[in-house]
Amino acid sequence: MNNGSGIQELMAAETRASQIVAEARIARGDRMKQAQTDADELIAAYRLEQQDAFDKAASASGGTGGHASAKLQAETSKEIQGMQGQFTKNAQKAVDVLLSKCCEVSLEVPTARIRSTQKIYGK
């Protein structure tokens, strides 16, 4: 009878150990989730702090971003107009070149083709 009770005690201890390990895993997962949440909060606070510092620096420098943006927009519009002008100027030339290449058909048979055909058919 002593052997049977020893085995039961061993199995009970194993079950308790499994429960302890499972609880430890759950606790570790909870700690990881809490650490992630804390890290996200710290990152959000740091990002907000840096954004505020950037905004203050941009406004202190005179806010030249708007002027530069308008200048860039004007340059872009000027370049687009230039490209559209070149397109209208050269469109017909491009069409003519494409049509000329499509309509050129050479009816001459290359000499290499003639020789290979003569070898095949034995003439």
Side-chain angles (χ1 to χ4, degrees), residues 57-74:
S59 65
S61 68
T64 59
H67 176 67
S69 177
K71 184 178 176 183
L72 180 63
Q73 184 67 31

Side-chain angles (χ1 to χ4, degrees), residues 28-46:
R28 180 177 180 263
D30 291 343
R31 285 194 311 270
M32 292 296 286
K33 288 177 186 176
Q34 184 61 40
Q36 182 66 43
T37 304
D38 293 345
D40 289 342
E41 290 173 1
L42 285 172
I43 290 169
Y46 180 76

Side-chain angles (χ1 to χ4, degrees), residues 15-25:
T15 303
R16 283 192 306 262
S18 296
Q19 290 173 348
I20 291 171
V21 169
E23 290 172 2
R25 285 184 181 153

